[in-house]
Amino acid sequence: MAKTMPKFKGKLVMGANGRTNPLVWLVAIICTVIAVAVVVVGIVVFIGYMVIHPRVPVISVNNAHLDLLRNDYAGLLQTQLTIVVTAKNGNARAHATFSDITFNISYQGQDIAVLVADPFEVPKNSSKDLSYVVQSSSIPLSPDQMEQVGNAWKKNEIEFDFTGAARTQWRVGPLGSVKYSCHLDCDLKFRPLNGTYIPSRCTSKSH
């Protein structure tokens, strides 16, 4: 035997005079205004992004040179490096600020130096170079590390670890300020016989 479900007839909330309750109209109007506002904001953000086309500022190693590399039979290593770090702002319509800048250079887990810089601003679509001359004191090496240095001389290639971070901030037109953290983690390779830097990609990633 077939069963039929009871039918319900929906009605708007009516007032005593048979008209729609004004409160219902008020809620409907508020919801409509909110929906329109969300759409308008979305359109403005999209148009602003397309027009301004913001780019995240980056830091990268632009050039370097191994000025000195000396090791002795006692297992002590002395070195001096020149490192040029470039802060680049690719935004055509906004200046960028770099702050909390710190870099660390090491060899085979042995820290050589910590490099820092005061906050600075890079004009729109421009860059700024930070030049560092890193001179280490005598670094005691383990037998394994001494062997690595010996092999580096034989192969005419030595590698240093270079890490760092910085905070960037720039204004994206009417959309407000944008903040990112830049992080570097790369290897700097040199020819010990003449100190030449072997170019490789060393550019920050943003988070």
Side-chain angles (χ1 to χ4, degrees), residues 1 7 62 76 85 89-90 110 113 128-130 132 136 164 179 183 188:
M1 183 175 180
K7 297 180 179 180
N62 185 36
L76 297 178
V85 179
N89 174 24
Q110 294 273 16
K128 178 181 175 65
D129 288 341
L130 303 174
Y132 297 96
S136 74
K179 298 180 181 179
H183 296 272
L188 302 183

Short mmCIF file of all heavy atoms in Angstrom, two decimals, residues 1 7 62 76 85 89-90 110 113 128-130 132 136 164 179 183 188:
data_model
loop_
_atom_site.label_atom_id
_atom_site.label_comp_id
_atom_site.label_asym_id
_atom_site.label_seq_id
_atom_site.Cartn_x
_atom_site.Cartn_y
_atom_site.Cartn_z
N MET A 1 0.84 -1.18 0.00
CA MET A 1 0.00 0.00 0.00
C MET A 1 0.88 1.24 0.00
O MET A 1 1.76 1.37 0.82
CB MET A 1 -0.90 0.01 1.24
CG MET A 1 -1.88 1.18 1.26
SD MET A 1 -3.00 1.04 2.67
CE MET A 1 -3.97 2.53 2.42
N LYS A 7 1.71 17.04 3.19
CA LYS A 7 2.14 18.23 2.48
C LYS A 7 2.06 19.45 3.39
O LYS A 7 1.10 19.61 4.13
CB LYS A 7 1.26 18.47 1.24
CG LYS A 7 1.38 17.35 0.22
CD LYS A 7 0.50 17.63 -0.99
CE LYS A 7 0.62 16.52 -2.03
NZ LYS A 7 -0.23 16.80 -3.21
N ASN A 62 74.70 38.12 -4.86
CA ASN A 62 74.96 38.63 -6.21
C ASN A 62 76.39 38.33 -6.66
O ASN A 62 76.63 38.05 -7.83
CB ASN A 62 74.71 40.14 -6.24
CG ASN A 62 74.85 40.72 -7.61
OD1 ASN A 62 74.48 40.10 -8.60
ND2 ASN A 62 75.39 41.92 -7.70
N LEU A 76 94.42 24.15 11.88
CA LEU A 76 93.78 25.47 12.01
C LEU A 76 93.51 26.04 10.63
O LEU A 76 94.36 25.99 9.74
CB LEU A 76 94.67 26.43 12.81
CG LEU A 76 94.96 26.02 14.26
CD1 LEU A 76 95.90 27.03 14.92
CD2 LEU A 76 93.65 25.91 15.06
N VAL A 85 75.44 40.79 -0.97
CA VAL A 85 74.04 40.37 -0.92
C VAL A 85 73.18 41.50 -1.48
O VAL A 85 73.33 42.66 -1.08
CB VAL A 85 73.61 40.04 0.52
CG1 VAL A 85 72.13 39.64 0.55
CG2 VAL A 85 74.47 38.93 1.10
N ASN A 89 63.70 44.93 -4.87
CA ASN A 89 62.28 45.24 -4.81
C ASN A 89 61.76 45.38 -6.24
O ASN A 89 62.03 46.36 -6.92
CB ASN A 89 62.05 46.54 -4.03
CG ASN A 89 60.59 46.98 -4.06
OD1 ASN A 89 59.69 46.17 -4.25
ND2 ASN A 89 60.36 48.27 -3.88
N GLY A 90 61.04 44.36 -6.69
CA GLY A 90 60.53 44.36 -8.07
C GLY A 90 59.21 45.04 -8.25
O GLY A 90 58.64 45.02 -9.35
N GLN A 110 81.28 24.36 11.15
CA GLN A 110 82.01 25.32 11.99
C GLN A 110 81.59 26.74 11.61
O GLN A 110 81.80 27.18 10.47
CB GLN A 110 83.53 25.16 11.78
CG GLN A 110 84.09 23.84 12.26
CD GLN A 110 84.46 23.88 13.74
OE1 GLN A 110 84.05 24.78 14.47
NE2 GLN A 110 85.25 22.92 14.18
N ALA A 113 81.12 33.32 10.81
CA ALA A 113 80.70 34.68 11.16
C ALA A 113 79.19 34.81 11.05
O ALA A 113 78.53 34.08 10.29
CB ALA A 113 81.38 35.71 10.27
N LYS A 128 69.35 47.20 -3.64
CA LYS A 128 70.41 47.75 -2.78
C LYS A 128 71.38 46.63 -2.45
O LYS A 128 70.97 45.52 -2.09
CB LYS A 128 69.81 48.31 -1.48
CG LYS A 128 70.84 48.85 -0.48
CD LYS A 128 70.16 49.36 0.77
CE LYS A 128 71.18 49.79 1.83
NZ LYS A 128 71.96 50.96 1.37
N ASP A 129 72.68 46.91 -2.58
CA ASP A 129 73.71 45.92 -2.29
C ASP A 129 74.24 46.07 -0.87
O ASP A 129 74.46 47.18 -0.39
CB ASP A 129 74.88 46.06 -3.27
CG ASP A 129 74.53 45.58 -4.66
OD1 ASP A 129 73.54 44.82 -4.80
OD2 ASP A 129 75.23 45.97 -5.62
N LEU A 130 74.44 44.93 -0.21
CA LEU A 130 75.08 44.86 1.10
C LEU A 130 76.40 44.14 0.92
O LEU A 130 76.42 42.96 0.56
CB LEU A 130 74.19 44.12 2.10
CG LEU A 130 72.77 44.66 2.32
CD1 LEU A 130 71.98 43.72 3.23
CD2 LEU A 130 72.81 46.05 2.92
N TYR A 132 79.83 42.61 2.45
CA TYR A 132 80.43 42.13 3.69
C TYR A 132 81.83 41.59 3.41
O TYR A 132 82.06 40.90 2.41
CB TYR A 132 79.60 40.99 4.30
CG TYR A 132 78.20 41.38 4.72
CD1 TYR A 132 77.12 41.15 3.87
CD2 TYR A 132 77.95 41.95 5.96
CE1 TYR A 132 75.83 41.49 4.26
CE2 TYR A 132 76.67 42.30 6.36
CZ TYR A 132 75.61 42.06 5.49
OH TYR A 132 74.32 42.40 5.88
N SER A 136 87.78 35.38 9.32
CA SER A 136 87.65 34.47 10.46
C SER A 136 88.93 34.45 11.27
O SER A 136 90.03 34.72 10.78
CB SER A 136 87.35 33.05 9.97
OG SER A 136 88.50 32.48 9.40
N GLY A 164 70.38 32.62 5.97
CA GLY A 164 70.00 33.94 6.45
C GLY A 164 68.51 34.17 6.36
O GLY A 164 67.75 33.34 5.84
N LYS A 179 53.38 41.84 4.54
CA LYS A 179 54.62 41.46 5.22
C LYS A 179 54.98 40.02 4.87
O LYS A 179 54.11 39.15 4.80
CB LYS A 179 54.46 41.58 6.74
CG LYS A 179 54.19 43.00 7.23
CD LYS A 179 54.04 43.04 8.73
CE LYS A 179 53.74 44.45 9.23
NZ LYS A 179 53.57 44.49 10.70
N HIS A 183 63.89 33.79 3.48
CA HIS A 183 64.87 32.85 4.03
C HIS A 183 65.82 32.38 2.94
O HIS A 183 65.40 32.02 1.85
CB HIS A 183 64.16 31.65 4.66
CG HIS A 183 63.30 31.99 5.84
ND1 HIS A 183 63.80 32.04 7.13
CD2 HIS A 183 61.99 32.33 5.92
CE1 HIS A 183 62.82 32.40 7.96
NE2 HIS A 183 61.72 32.58 7.25
N LEU A 188 77.90 28.35 -1.07
CA LEU A 188 78.76 29.23 -1.83
C LEU A 188 80.03 28.46 -2.20
O LEU A 188 80.76 27.99 -1.31
CB LEU A 188 79.13 30.48 -1.02
CG LEU A 188 77.95 31.34 -0.51
CD1 LEU A 188 78.48 32.57 0.20
CD2 LEU A 188 77.03 31.73 -1.66
#
